[in-house]
Amino acid sequence: MRNLKRALSMALAAVMLLGMMVIGASASYSDFNDQDEIVNKEAVALLTDLGVINGTTPTTYNPTGTIERAALSKMIYFVMMGGTDATPYEGMDIFADVSGNWAEGYINYCASVGIFGGVGKDANGKDLFNPYGTLTVAQAAKGLLVALGYVAEDRGYNGATWTIGVISDAQTNGLLAGISQGVNEAITRDNAAQMIFNALSATMVEPQKQYDMGNEYI
């Protein structure tokens, strides 16, 4: 985890520096004909300028559309690794439904470091990722919290009440600032950009555990 956290810290610094250099330059955000519909304009402008997220067409961002699991994997990979080349993580055979997918490397990386898990198994018992499925606000927050150093098992992010710990930590760390959706709703492209943007200035943490009367929630 220490190596992961150090890599994330360096990547976030690089992204923020690059962001300061490109603001004001001609970029894809200026081509979107639905800018008036975008609420989180600063977040969307920065992330599209950097190539973290693309429009659904060259001239449309579609802010109210939902974000797919594969797309969010790419976004998180970018801020953690400082780029979009994930070919070293292709061919890992973690999920039955990811091989050959455009986001294969991103998905495999996120799975290998515990950011995202599977959604079930196929008839042969192989894990499934469902790359084109949607993510709730809480699920997106969980992935980013793990990227920031929180350990899911230690923080109670698993089990029937996993959203309680996730939302508590996400609120504390500012990930939900500007997010105008319920935690169980499918996160929109507008809010996904804002949450990634929030993560760029969020506080890295040392592994932490939750306690109740001296007993760990594991």
Side-chain angles (χ1 to χ4, degrees):
M1 180 60 70
R2 289 184 182 275
N3 290 336
L4 171 61
K5 290 171 66 180
R6 182 162 53 249
L8 176 55
S9 179
M10 294 173 64
L12 293 183
V15 169
M16 290 300 289
L17 177 60
L18 181 57
M20 288 186 290
M21 291 189 293
V22 301
I23 291 299
S26 176
S28 58
Y29 179 79
S30 62
D31 296 327
F32 294 144
N33 57 25
D34 56 355
Q35 290 182 38
D36 290 344
E37 301 172 27
I38 298 172
V39 175
N40 302 307
K41 298 182 186 299
E42 184 180 6
V44 173
L46 175 61
L47 297 186
T48 53
D49 288 351
L50 293 176
V52 179
I53 187 171
N54 302 316
T56 53
T57 75
T59 59
T60 306
Y61 181 73
N62 188 21
T64 59
T66 54
I67 196 82
E68 295 175 345
R69 289 166 58 83
L72 192 62
S73 296
K74 178 219 174 179
M75 294 170 71
I76 293 178
Y77 178 90
F78 187 103
V79 297
M80 293 187 71
M81 303 300 285
T84 57
D85 181 14
T87 54
Y89 299 96
E90 294 177 357
M92 295 179 69
D93 195 32
I94 297 176
F95 300 107
D97 56 349
V98 166
S99 179
N101 187 278
W102 70 270
E104 178 181 356
Y106 309 128
I107 293 169
N108 287 339
Y109 173 80
C110 288
S112 69
V113 297
I115 292 172
F116 290 129
V119 297
K121 297 182 181 295
D122 65 9
N124 298 315
K126 182 75 173 180
D127 289 332
L128 297 170
F129 182 75
N130 189 20
Y132 298 112
T134 59
L135 286 153
T136 65
V137 171
Q139 288 170 333
K142 176 184 177 180
L144 284 168
L145 287 169
V146 174
L148 289 167
Y150 292 85
V151 179
E153 292 79 7
D154 293 347
R155 297 298 295 167
Y157 295 170
N158 302 313
T161 60
W162 68 271
T163 58
I164 297 175
V166 166
I167 298 307
S168 176
D169 288 341
Q171 289 175 331
T172 299
N173 218 334
L175 291 185
L176 299 181
I179 305 301
S180 56
Q181 289 186 266
V183 298
N184 293 317
E185 295 178 8
I187 192 168
T188 64
R189 291 169 51 81
D190 202 340
N191 283 328
Q194 182 64 40
M195 195 178 291
I196 293 283
F197 184 80
N198 292 340
L200 296 179
S201 57
T203 303
M204 298 293 295
V205 300
E206 293 294 333
Q208 300 177 27
K209 295 183 179 181
Q210 293 179 335
Y211 292 87
D212 179 32
M213 300 297 290
N215 297 314
E216 299 176 5
Y217 285 128
I218 301 296

